[in-house]
Amino acid sequence: MSYKSIIANLAVDAPPAAIVKVGVELAERFGAHLIGLAAADVPPLVATGEGMVYEGEVMQVQRTEIEKRLAELRAEFESLVPASITSEWGQAVCSPTRFLSVFARAADLVVTGASGDDVFRAADVGSLALGIGRPVLVIGNNVEHLRANTVLVAWKDTREARRAVADALPFLAKANEVVVATIASNGDDSVRDSLADVAVYLEHHGITAQTKLIIGEVDGEQLLTFARSIHADMIVSGAYGHSRLREWAFGGVTRTLIEESSINRFLSY
């Protein structure tokens, strides 16, 4: 159980050190190849005194600035990655989400920071989790060392949650404590059996897990409150059990986890 190729995704407007250090730490932990990526794009429309227009000269200036920043990120990535780790670098002036989605085919795991407000300058975590076919590890703010000593598995008997548990096995195998928790409006036998089956599945992989049934309405804030109560370093969750449109319109666990910044989140779809 291991990741053999890991992407460290760097946003052009964020300091790169934390993401690179976590990527290096994971590459050392799992004996993985590390891929550093960065991309940004020039918005097709530019605001001028006359409104929104295409302005070739302004767009070229912005492109030059992006290329300069990408070169700086490459230099910082290469300076932080020790020679003991095999690594490579990729960059482009294009949509960060699309660029990362293409490169994800060559990786087992994507490590990234939170979504930015500008889709031209930062990858959208929701789109990544939904579309790249690889697990996405979203690093909490100011995290430079991913301990993952206590891992909370947010369990719901869905395809997405099952996929997340399987994808997270390398982390779960190295954790000191694994808690599988589900939030349900009642504690009937089917819910308890579901939790028990996950614990048995993990036991077959040499992982001892505790189970926890939380009675209540399914709610992301309740999940986060429980995670903090057990001092979880990471939450493992399936992404978008409902449609993404419904989650963004009405709220949902995935949306809450994406917006949360104080804890590491492992999302799989």
Side-chain angles (χ1 to χ4, degrees), residues 108 117 207 210 214 223 248:
D108 296 312
D117 295 328
I207 300 164
Q210 304 174 46
I214 303 169
L223 177 66
W248 285 111

Side-chain angles (χ1 to χ4, degrees), residues 46-164:
V46 178
T48 70
E50 300 176 353
M52 302 297 290
V53 299
Y54 291 93
E55 179 58 65
E57 184 177 344
V58 173
M59 294 174 70
Q60 184 56 51
V61 169
Q62 292 182 345
R63 183 183 181 90
T64 300
E65 290 175 348
I66 290 172
E67 291 172 341
K68 178 182 177 182
R69 178 57 179 156
L70 294 177
E72 293 171 351
L73 289 172
R74 177 175 186 168
E76 292 188 66
F77 173 81
E78 292 177 345
S79 71
L80 290 169
V81 178
S84 58
I85 294 175
T86 64
S87 65
E88 62 183 285
W89 174 259
Q91 67 183 55
V93 180
C94 69
S95 161
T97 303
R98 185 171 69 250
F99 185 64
L100 183 52
S101 297
V102 170
F103 260 87
R105 65 192 176 201
D108 296 312
L109 175 69
V110 172
V111 180
T112 189
S115 296
D117 295 328
D118 187 345
V119 296
F120 293 100
R121 300 184 68 83
D124 177 65
V125 171
S127 296
L128 292 176
L130 192 61
I132 66 172
R134 296 291 188 269
V136 178
L137 176 58
V138 189
I139 300 302
N141 287 349
N142 303 315
V143 171
E144 292 189 355
H145 299 286
L146 187 67
R147 296 177 177 84
N149 293 326
T150 300
V151 179
L152 170 62
V153 176
W155 175 251
K156 184 179 181 182
D157 195 10
T158 63
R159 181 191 68 81
E160 296 82 13
R162 296 177 189 186
R163 183 73 265 156

